[in-house]
Amino acid sequence: VLSLSKVLNAIEGTRQYDIILIDTPPDLGALTLAAIVASTHILVAAQPEADSLAGVERVKESVANLTGLLQPF
């Protein structure tokens, strides 16, 4: 988490990019959680199916749980 935040802070200081997309695996593993913590916005791609929508709900819950525990960069 700290390394990702350091890299994003360094990039943000250059003002070369308007948007940085961090593509993560479709799970809530360490890489995805690090990306959530380091992000200011989150985009979740989903198919219009029950299982996919349930996954979006799990992501929303994880974001809510992380909010307040860790501060984004």
Side-chain angles (χ1 to χ4, degrees):
V1 171
L2 295 177
S3 296
L4 181 58
S5 291
K6 285 180 184 179
V7 169
L8 292 175
N9 280 333
I11 292 171
E12 182 184 34
T14 66
R15 299 286 183 209
Q16 293 179 335
Y17 304 98
D18 293 325
I19 297 173
I20 298 172
L21 294 177
I22 305 169
D23 189 15
T24 62
D27 62 33
L28 291 174
L31 180 60
T32 303
L33 294 177
I36 289 171
V37 170
S39 298
T40 57
H41 294 77
I42 298 169
L43 173 69
V44 179
Q47 296 178 347
E49 299 175 356
D51 288 343
S52 186
L53 296 177
V56 171
E57 287 300 319
R58 285 192 299 273
V59 170
K60 286 173 53 179
E61 290 171 6
S62 293
V63 170
N65 290 335
L66 288 172
T67 303
L69 294 177
L70 301 171
Q71 294 296 318
F73 75 97

